[in-house]
Amino acid sequence: MVGVLRGSGGQRRRGLHRDAVARAAASGEAARPDPFERRDRGHHSRRVRRRAGVLRYRRLPQAAGRAAGSRQVSSEQAGNAWIVGGTRGIGQAVADELWQRGWTVVISGREGPQVKQVDDRRWLAGVDTRDSADVVRTHDRILERMPLDAVVNCASASAGGSIMTLTDDAWSAAIETKLLGYIRVCRTCLPGLAARGGALVNVIGASASVATADYAMGCLGAALVHLTRGLAQQWCPEGARVFGVNPGPTKTERLATLIRTTAEQNQSTVEQAEAAIAGSTYRQKPLSPGSLAHLIAELLGPAGEAVNGSVLLADGGSTGGWI
């Protein structure tokens, strides 16, 4: 009897199909296609075959990933970072934290060699951010030795004082370093960072969010917040992340100078000035540079992938009653 086969269900079905093909050939009719062999174009584009009752999969080649030369920096695959203002304070702490995580760091202050290697993953490069040509020149010298995956803007020269006590020279110095200096670094570095999928961080200050009479130069921080958000809108589609961090009172040489200046202007003691400036944090003491460095390093890795155009308030709660 034609079509009676022994074996599995799949074998019987395939035998029946072969019998149908034979009958069609004898009668001169076109054979129907095998219904048990098909291509399934699902989400993963897999070829599906049914043989002897077993469903087999063969994964087709997947689409290519990111363009060549573009990569997302992670803690496991650290990159190269330029810390502008990295010789002291928060910038120095960021350089140390990234270096400990496996990054190669280029540390810049106003004074220093052109580009000098200190050890296998640490370099020094002096740069004067008040001079556009020097920023470009230093950036190009760094690129001759390594590509950049991250840039941290952390230079600062803004003095404490009210608008009635600050001189024009003090304002000019702060604008050249804190505002225009950041702009020069951003303008120089962002095209290269975009090409590599890198990130730029502007370390600004909590005074950008809260106005106080005895720190009038906080308005420069507000301008940098505006700049950071605008740059993110422009450069995110090109491949670069741009974000900012607004630290609160942090235990640095600059904070000590600010406390002394505030005490002199208010005719108070240093202890009273410190309590007024740093006592508003939830621990009633200045933040440590290391805690802020840890935050910035995390945001430069996979944890910060969703952070673009944001300016994070990291003030220890000192502005909680104002914002």
Side-chain angles (χ1 to χ4, degrees):
M1 180 177 176
V2 179
V4 177
L5 298 175
R6 295 180 181 179
S8 67
Q11 290 173 330
R12 287 194 296 272
R13 288 192 295 270
R14 187 163 296 282
L16 291 172
H17 177 70
R18 283 197 296 267
D19 292 343
V21 171
R23 288 195 299 270
S27 62
E29 297 178 358
R32 296 175 61 187
D34 185 350
F36 306 112
E37 180 171 325
R38 62 188 176 88
R39 179 186 296 269
D40 180 8
R41 296 186 181 274
H43 178 68
H44 297 291
S45 297
R46 296 176 296 191
R47 181 184 295 276
V48 182
R49 292 183 180 273
R50 190 183 296 273
R51 290 179 178 171
V54 179
L55 192 64
R56 298 182 180 179
Y57 299 89
R58 186 177 70 186
R59 188 178 297 275
L60 298 180
Q62 295 182 350
R66 293 182 173 221
S70 174
R71 63 192 179 95
Q72 182 71 31
V73 177
S74 68
S75 299
E76 294 75 20
Q77 188 182 15
N80 308 316
W82 184 19
I83 296 88
V84 182
T87 57
R88 63 181 65 184
I90 297 173
Q92 183 179 20
V94 171
D96 291 343
E97 179 71 23
L98 290 176
W99 183 83
Q100 291 173 9
R101 292 176 180 233
W103 288 68
T104 296
V105 294
V106 182
I107 304 166
S108 287
R110 189 170 295 174
E111 305 295 333
Q114 291 183 350
V115 178
K116 178 182 178 181
Q117 187 169 7
V118 178
D119 55 37
D120 59 335
R121 289 188 293 103
R122 190 159 15 209
W123 297 68
L124 296 177
V127 63
D128 187 352
T129 59
R130 299 171 299 180
D131 183 351
S132 294
D134 194 41
V135 173
V136 173
R137 196 162 43 240
T138 304
H139 176 257
D140 290 346
R141 287 170 179 160
I142 294 171
L143 291 187
E144 290 173 359
R145 293 157 175 84
M146 70 191 78
L148 288 174
D149 301 292
V151 174
V152 181
N153 247 336
C154 205
S156 178
S158 52
S162 71
I163 194 172
M164 303 305 295
T165 59
L166 291 168
T167 65
D168 287 355
D169 289 342
W171 278 104
S172 296
I175 291 171
E176 278 293 330
T177 303
K178 185 71 174 181
L179 181 57
L180 292 178
Y182 274 41
I183 290 173
R184 293 175 184 122
V185 172
C186 293
R187 183 173 58 205
T188 302
C189 297
L190 276 170
L193 290 173
R196 286 184 61 81
L200 185 142
V201 190
N202 286 328
V203 181
I204 303 170
S207 58
S209 304
V210 177
T212 57
D214 56 359
Y215 190 57
M217 286 189 181
C219 65
L220 301 182
L224 287 173
V225 169
H226 188 89
L227 173 73
T228 301
R229 290 171 176 162
L231 288 174
Q233 291 179 9
Q234 179 181 359
W235 287 98
C236 179
E238 303 297 326
R241 285 196 300 126
V242 184
F243 62 94
V245 175
N246 280 351
T250 308
K251 193 173 183 179
T252 61
E253 295 177 12
R254 180 173 171 272
L255 179 64
T257 302
L258 181 61
I259 290 172
R260 288 194 299 269
T261 302
T262 302
E264 292 172 1
Q265 292 180 351
N266 295 340
Q267 297 181 348
S268 63
T269 65
V270 172
E271 290 74 16
Q272 290 172 331
E274 181 176 0
I277 293 174
S280 57
T281 64
Y282 79 103
R283 288 186 175 177
Q284 297 185 342
K285 63 180 182 180
L287 304 172
S288 70
S291 64
L292 294 166
H294 182 83
L295 171 64
I296 292 170
E298 284 292 316
L299 293 176
L300 286 174
E305 186 175 348
V307 179
N308 190 58
S310 302
V311 180
L312 280 75
L313 186 61
D315 67 340
S318 61
T319 58
W322 295 78
I323 298 177

